[in-house]
Structure formats: structure tokens, C-alpha cells
Amino acid sequence: MSSPVLHAFYVGRALADAINERAERLLTDGLSLAGKFDAEQREYFRQFTEDVMARAQQAEAEAGVSYSSTAPSAATTDLQATIDTLRAEIAQVRVALQQYRTTPQV
């Protein structure tokens, strides 16, 4: 191969690697932001639900009616644990991918 062709090959390869890395980072960051947004919205909804239930309890207490509630807090905790686990796995995959990319390939 001639030198300009060989040079173009390596430039193209470096460009493709850089684009792949950027796309990977954008995708993982986007997924992370989406997960964070989802968690925040679920927390907001949980707080909103608790507020509504507290108002309902107050209204029933004022009316002289008894009220009992069991909140599904375990499901919220399990969801947050799942989100945290997924974020940790994404971080591990990033590290493994960076290590793979930095090792010389024959």
C-alpha cells in the first residue's frame, strides 16, 4: 500500500473509534439520565400519593371515620435497589470496555 492510503486507513480507523466511543458515552449517559428522571418521577409520585392519603386521613378524622393504610414502601425500595444495581452494572461495563479498547489487538 502507498503511504497516503495507509495514512487514510489509520485516520479512518481512529475516526471510527472516536465516534464509537462518543456514541457509547452519549447512549450510556442518556440511559443514566432517563433512569434518574424515572426515579425522580416515581419519588415525586410517591410523595404526592402520601400527601393525598394524609389529606384523606385528615378529612376522615375530622368527619369521625376511622382509617387504616398499608403503604407499599417495600416495592419502592426494591425499585430503587434495582435502579442502583443497573447503574453499577453500567459503570462496570464502561470500565471493561475501556480496558478492552486500551489493550493492543493483533
Side-chain angles (χ1 to χ4, degrees), residues 90-105:
I90 288 171
Q92 290 175 345
V93 168
R94 277 186 177 172
V95 169
L97 189 58
Q98 286 293 15
Q99 289 175 348
Y100 173 76
R101 287 185 175 158
T102 58
T103 57
Q105 299 174 4

Side-chain angles (χ1 to χ4, degrees), residues 1-7 9:
M1 282 189 184
S2 66
S3 180
V5 172
L6 190 58
H7 180 71
F9 170 76

Side-chain angles (χ1 to χ4, degrees), residues 54-93:
R55 289 180 185 199
Q57 282 179 327
Q58 182 180 6
E60 287 183 0
E62 290 172 0
V65 178
S66 67
Y67 178 81
S68 64
S69 171
T70 56
S73 62
T76 304
T77 304
D78 291 343
L79 176 63
Q80 187 60 47
T82 301
I83 290 170
D84 292 342
T85 301
L86 290 173
R87 285 185 179 153
E89 289 175 1
I90 288 171
Q92 290 175 345
V93 168

